[in-house]
Each structure stands twice: as C-alpha cells, then as structure tokens.
Amino acid sequence: MDGNYYMIHDYLIFIAVFAVFFFLTVSIYLFIQNQRLKNKNLRLFQNNKLIEQKLHEVQLEHIGTKLNPHLFKNILNSVQSHAYQTYMSLDKLANVLDYILYESNNKFVSPKEELSFALSLIEINKIKVNPLFDFRIKSKIDKSDPVFEEKIFAPMLSVDLIENAFKHTDFLAQDSFISIFLELEGGIFSMKVSNKASLKNVLHKDHGGFGSQSLEKNMRQKLLI
C-alpha cells in the first residue's frame, strides 16, 4: 500500500514538474515570438517611414523639375521682352537723333524721310504709356508715288502734332485714345492726328503755344519756298 502511495506521489510530482516545464517553455517561446514580431513590426514601420520620406523627396524633386524650368522660362521671356523693347527704343531714338542732327539742317526732306522720323518718334513716346492704351496708328503710303523720295518738305513738320497728341491726352480716361493716320496718295501727303484731350491742359496759358508756333512757322516756310 505504501509502495503504491509513493508511486502515485512521484507520478503527480513528475506531472507537475512537466507541466511547469511545459508552461515555461511555451511562455518563453511565445515571448520570443512576440519579441520577434515586435522587432519585425518596428523594422516594417521604419522602412515604411523611410519609403514615405523617399517618395516625398521624389515628388518634391519632380515638382521642382517641372516648376523651375517653367519659372525660368517666364523670367527669361520677361527679360528678353524688356531687352527687345530697350533695343527697339534705342534704335528708334538713334533714327530720331540722326534726323534732327543731319536732315533737319536741310531745306527739304522727302516724305519717306519724314515718315520714318514720325514713326520712330511715335514709338519712343509709346514707351512711357501703358501697353494696353488705345493707340490707333495707321499708315497708307504709296511707295510708288513719284514724290515719295523727292525732297519737297520742310523737315520735322510732324514733330509738333505727335508731341502735342501725347502731351495733351487724358491717359486716365477709360475711353481715351490717340489716333494718327499717315497717308501718301496721288502726290499728296497728309497726316491726321486726334486724341481725347485732358481737361487739365485745356486752360489758357499766357506763355505757351511753342508747338503750334513751330508748326505754323514750318508750314509758312514750306509755302514761301
């Protein structure tokens, strides 16, 4: 009886020890697996963040690649436009100065020369005006007309008309305009200038009218010759 008791007691102890060992083994295994999963999830999280960062950098790089040339092209076009405008303005100014220095000393100039001077002077005056302003500059010139290159004009007949058109225009009015029409046909050269006058310049001036006097003087000179 005592022998059986001890056998059962030992058997129970063995089972208990085995159960504890098994439990510890399973716990350790599960703990190790859990740590591995945690480490794996951490690595995945870090890799995911790294991928997101790289993707963000690539997107920014892609946007920068698209934007920078576009902005650069706009800036270049703007600079080119101003450079071209400056070049054209200097070219027109050179034409005007040549005409004033050399041709104006002559008794007569041709319609061709006066026309070139008038158009250059118009372009120079247009620089200081808003590009959207209503300019109506037209010319109808018959270059085959016999008088086109003949010396028949007193020089600078057109200067006063052009200068006064710009000087006395109301540039702030919405319906403001400057209209200049030049025509050579049938041996007759004509120039028609009109504008919307500024009210500020309508007042009578005791000391003024130099442009009108100059124009009248040139016209009288032409008629007397």
Side-chain angles (χ1 to χ4, degrees):
M1 183 72 178
D2 290 338
N4 290 333
Y5 173 77
Y6 284 116
M7 286 181 65
I8 293 171
H9 182 264
D10 290 339
Y11 180 74
L12 291 174
I13 291 173
F14 173 77
I15 291 174
V17 171
F18 178 80
V20 171
F21 177 78
F22 179 79
F23 177 77
L24 288 175
T25 302
V26 172
S27 297
I28 292 170
Y29 175 78
L30 291 175
F31 176 77
I32 292 172
Q33 289 297 107
N34 184 54
Q35 287 300 114
R36 285 179 178 175
L37 286 173
K38 282 185 177 180
N39 291 335
K40 186 176 182 180
N41 287 336
L42 179 62
R43 287 195 298 272
L44 288 173
F45 176 77
Q46 291 174 342
N47 288 337
N48 186 51
K49 294 296 290 183
L50 184 62
I51 291 171
E52 287 181 355
Q53 183 181 353
K54 291 292 183 184
L55 180 61
H56 183 64
E57 290 174 358
V58 169
Q59 287 175 339
L60 288 178
E61 243 176 61
H62 181 62
I63 293 172
T65 303
K66 290 180 70 176
L67 286 180
N68 288 339
H70 183 66
L71 292 174
F72 179 74
K73 185 178 179 181
N74 286 342
I75 293 170
L76 183 61
N77 287 340
S78 178
V79 171
Q80 189 177 25
S81 174
H82 286 293
Y84 178 75
Q85 185 179 14
T86 302
Y87 168 78
M88 292 299 295
S89 302
L90 290 174
D91 183 59
K92 299 300 181 185
L93 181 59
N95 291 340
V96 168
L97 290 177
D98 282 344
Y99 189 84
I100 293 172
L101 290 173
Y102 303 111
E103 303 300 333
S104 63
N105 291 325
N106 297 328
K107 275 189 175 183
F108 302 104
V109 294
S110 66
K112 178 182 178 180
E113 293 166 330
E114 185 69 19
L115 176 66
S116 176
F117 166 74
L119 293 176
S120 295
L121 190 61
I122 291 169
E123 291 301 319
I124 291 172
N125 278 280
K126 283 172 63 177
I127 296 171
K128 53 191 176 184
V129 182
N130 190 319
L132 300 179
F133 184 78
D134 184 11
F135 284 110
R136 307 168 190 176
I137 314 299
K138 295 181 180 180
S139 61
K140 184 181 178 183
I141 305 297
D142 182 8
K143 294 183 179 180
S144 63
D145 194 295
V147 302
F148 182 60
E149 296 189 25
E150 285 189 18
K151 306 283 186 176
I152 57 174
F153 286 160
M156 300 180 66
L157 282 175
S158 59
V159 63
D160 299 311
L161 293 173
I162 295 172
E163 288 294 332
N164 285 333
F166 282 88
K167 182 179 179 181
H168 299 291
T169 294
D170 185 359
F171 290 104
L172 298 180
Q174 291 185 352
D175 58 344
S176 188
F177 70 94
I178 292 178
S179 174
I180 301 176
F181 180 66
L182 301 132
E183 182 180 22
L184 174 61
E185 191 173 12
I188 299 174
F189 180 81
S190 61
M191 180 175 182
K192 181 180 179 181
V193 179
S194 57
N195 66 338
K196 182 176 178 64
S198 172
L199 295 177
K200 294 180 180 179
N201 295 325
V202 173
L203 297 178
H204 174 72
K205 294 181 290 184
D206 293 331
H207 301 285
F210 174 77
S212 299
Q213 293 173 9
S214 175
L215 177 61
E216 290 172 4
K217 180 180 177 181
N218 284 333
M219 291 300 294
R220 283 198 302 270
Q221 179 185 355
K222 174 65 183 74
L223 292 173
L224 290 173
I225 292 173

